[in-house]
Structure formats: C-alpha cells, structure tokens
C-alpha cells in the first residue's frame, strides 16, 4: 500500500462561516512552527488535490469559497489585537496560496478571537483590530457580544446566506496597495492591456483590500448578468477572462511572465451598468436597486456571491474617476454603492481622498455575519 505523503494526525480546529465563505479556523499555536509544513496539512484537511473537483475526502466543498483556512494568533503588531493569516486551498491542484486575504472570512476572525479567549471583552460590543498578515493591513471588526461571547442571532440578512445573524462591521483601513504597494498598480485608472492571443483589451487594475482587474461585460460579449453556471458553460469567455487575468497579473507585478498563468489573484470583475438581473434563488433585482452589476471570478471559478475584498475593491474603484467601475456606475448617494451580484445586492461604503493629484483609499466598509458551525479536531 502506498504510504500517505504526511503522517496521519489531528489538530484542534473550528469550522466557521464568514459572510458567504466557510473555512477551517486554526490557532497558530496548534500548527507546526515551520510555515513550510502547513501546506500539506491544509491540503489533506480540505481533500485537495481532487481531479474530480469535489473534495469528498476532506472538508472542502468543491468551490474556492469553501476551500479556505484561517490561522489566528497573538498580534505581532502593537496596533492590532490578533494576527490573521488566510490560506486559499486549491481544489484540483496541490497548491495553497497566501497571496491575498478573504474579506468574507475576515468576518469570522473577531468572533473566533472573542470566543476562544484570545482577547478580553466587556459590555455588549467589542472592536477588534485584526492584522492580516497576507496584506499587512489592519481590519477593524466591530461585533456584538452576549455573556462574554460573540453574538450569533440578529436581524441582518446578507445575500447568498439563508436566515439572519448578528451584524459584523468590517472596516478595511488604508486598503490601497494590499499586494502591489499601489492603489493603481499601473499608475492609470484604465489601460489598454495587450493580452496574448486576444489583442488590446481595456481594463482597470485597482488594488484595494485585494488586487482586481475590471472589464466591461459588453466589451467581452457578455451581458454582465450571467449566472455563475452560464459563465462556467461559456468556455470561450472563461479562456479569454483567464488570459486577461494572467496578463493583468504581469502588469500589476504579481507574476513575472504571462506563462505563469493566473493564480488566485488578481480577482476578475466583469461589470455592467445597472440593469434588471436575476439571483440564484430566482428573485428579480430591479435596475434601480443597484448602481452597478458585477460578476467576479477567482482561481478560474465564477463566484456565487462576491468576495468581501472584491466588494471593497469595486467600491473604491467606483470612486476613482476614469476607472471602468466609475464610468459604468450610476450616481450613488454619499459614499455607499450598491453592487448587484448573483446572490443579491451588497452595500459597500468607501472613502477615497485626493491630495495634490495623489489618490488615497482611506477605508472600505461592509457588513457581514458569521457563525461557528462546529469545533473539535480535523484529521489529516
């Protein structure tokens, strides 16, 4: 019998939903001291690689939004309460990426830290400053507390998640340049990207919370309100979008060559003007219910909702004159923008300032919910 590629074992863990994602949550103290030893554990725990794309031999669910790991520990910075490292576990590949953050799972970090006793809380609420080690950025998480534990029940409903929960406000502070060091990695609000095999394509490349490349749906022969399943069936469009993402990765300094292909960043945003769309549940979204329609891909897969960081980046981009999101978005009231996506509409607040021609992303804010699903041991 062929031996396993690593010793069998078990590690204490918590399984949580954060926003529209799910992840295994580990204490940093329970993992090997050498980061190089983490990948094999995460892959085995999630059931990757799985050529069939189902991850039946692990905790993963066959899509990137539920093939994630979060590692939480004491803060290495004086201006934060905890350190949080995000790991994206690929479904079909034996690869773990630490290239960016997951905004949805960021919502679970505060409740985890409170419930696991990593920080002390008093009263009916808590403000937790989270240092995301992937992006070196601070996320301020404001949660409700009941009897010393993170509140679960509440009235907030978020598109893509059944039921309601206690609201969690996430403020991504100074989100610009999370992976590239620049809010506009190319220095421009839009570029004509020369994509091998496809020619010149107009894009906007913005890095706020996570780097994103935005394309106009109409320019790609799409409506902008396709369902994720329809996008998955459109192999020609996926190949083109994959190539755009791979070339944008080079232009943003995330990859050395186009030949490296698209990894999990940048996120790819397919945007269109506000229009009537239909959610996965069959509900119709009127055109006046949002300022912008968006479909987003990461790791080659269309999202069923929106990544939290992708939502923040889109909202920030929409406040930068000249970008595709700014050009296509309807006028918004104040700093908030409503984004229509396959599961509904998300409201994201952002603030961008300009000083002597230099743009600065002050913050991006969004409300999420989270819930502990089980705790115990994960076996690998």
């Amino acid at each position: 019998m062929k031996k396993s590629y690593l010793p069998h074992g078990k590690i204490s863990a918590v399984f949580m939903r954060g926003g529209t994602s799910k992840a295994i949550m580990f204490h940093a103290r329970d993992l090997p001291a050498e980061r190089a030893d983490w990948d094999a554990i995460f892959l085995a725990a999630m059931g990757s690689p799985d050529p069939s794309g189902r991850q039946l031999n692990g905790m993963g669910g066959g899509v990137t939004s539920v093939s994630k790991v979060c590692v939480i520990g004491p803060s290495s910075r004086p201006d934060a309460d905890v350190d949080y490292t995000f790991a994206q576990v690929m479904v079909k590949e034996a690869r773990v990426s630490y290239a960016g953050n997951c905004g949805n799972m960021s919502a679970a970090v505060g409740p985890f830290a409170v419930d696991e006793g990593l920080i002390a809380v008093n009263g009916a609420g808590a403000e937790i400053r989270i240092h995301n080690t992937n992006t070196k950025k601070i996320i301020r998480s404001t949660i409700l507390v009941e009897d010393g534990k993170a509140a679960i029940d509440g009235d907030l409903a978020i598109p893509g998640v059944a039921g309601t929960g206690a609201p969690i406000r996430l403020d991504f502070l100074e989100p610009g340049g999370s992976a590239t060091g620049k809010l506009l990695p190319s220095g421009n609000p839009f570029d004509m990207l020369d994509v091998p095999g496809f020619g010149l394509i107009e894009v906007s490349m913005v890095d706020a919370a996570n780097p994103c490349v935005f394309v106009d749906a109409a320019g790609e022969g799409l409506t902008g309100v396709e369902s994720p399943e329809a996008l998955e069936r459109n192999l020609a469009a996926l190949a083109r979008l994959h190539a755009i993402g791979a070339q944008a990765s080079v232009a943003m300094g995330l990859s050395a060559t186009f030949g490296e292909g698209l990894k999990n960043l940048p996120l790819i945003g397919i945007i269109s003007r506000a229009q009537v769309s239909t959610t996965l549940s069959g509900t119709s979204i009127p055109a006046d219910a949002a300022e912008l329609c968006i479909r987003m891909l990461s790791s080659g897969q269309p999202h069923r909702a929106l990544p939290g960081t992708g939502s923040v980046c889109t909202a920030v981009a929409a406040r930068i004159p000249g970008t595709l999101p700014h050009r296509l978005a309807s006028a918004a009231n104040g700093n908030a923008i409503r984004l229509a996506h396959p599961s509904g509409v998300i409201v994201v607040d952002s603030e961008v300032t300009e000083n002597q021609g230099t743009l600065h992303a002050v913050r991006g804010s969004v409300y999420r919910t989270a819930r502990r699903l089980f705790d115990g041991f994960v076996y690998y």
Side-chain angles (χ1 to χ4, degrees), residues 238-256:
L238 285 181
R240 183 178 171 96
L241 291 166
H242 184 93
I244 292 170
Q247 188 63 14
S249 181
V250 175
M252 298 172 90
L254 300 171
S255 299

Side-chain angles (χ1 to χ4, degrees), residues 32 40 44 73 83 116 120 129 138 144 200 207 220-221 253 257-258 267 300 377:
D83 274 0
E116 294 293 305
R129 292 179 65 88
I138 298 293
L144 299 177
L200 293 174
D207 182 2
E220 301 309 305
T257 66
F258 179 81
L267 302 173
F377 295 97

Side-chain angles (χ1 to χ4, degrees), residues 2 14 38 56 64 82 95 101 142 146 249 254 287 298 309:
K2 184 179 179 180
V14 175
W38 288 11
L56 290 177
T64 55
V82 292
R95 184 166 65 87
N101 181 27
T142 306
E146 294 179 356
S249 181
L254 300 171
S298 67
T309 53

Side-chain angles (χ1 to χ4, degrees), residues 245-290:
Q247 188 63 14
S249 181
V250 175
M252 298 172 90
L254 300 171
S255 299
T257 66
F258 179 81
E260 290 184 28
L262 178 63
K263 299 178 181 177
N264 64 315
L265 293 176
L267 302 173
I268 302 170
I270 309 159
I271 57 175
S272 64
R273 296 186 185 279
Q275 58 182 302
V276 175
S277 59
T278 303
T279 69
L280 294 175
S281 64
T283 302
S284 178
I285 302 175
D288 62 0

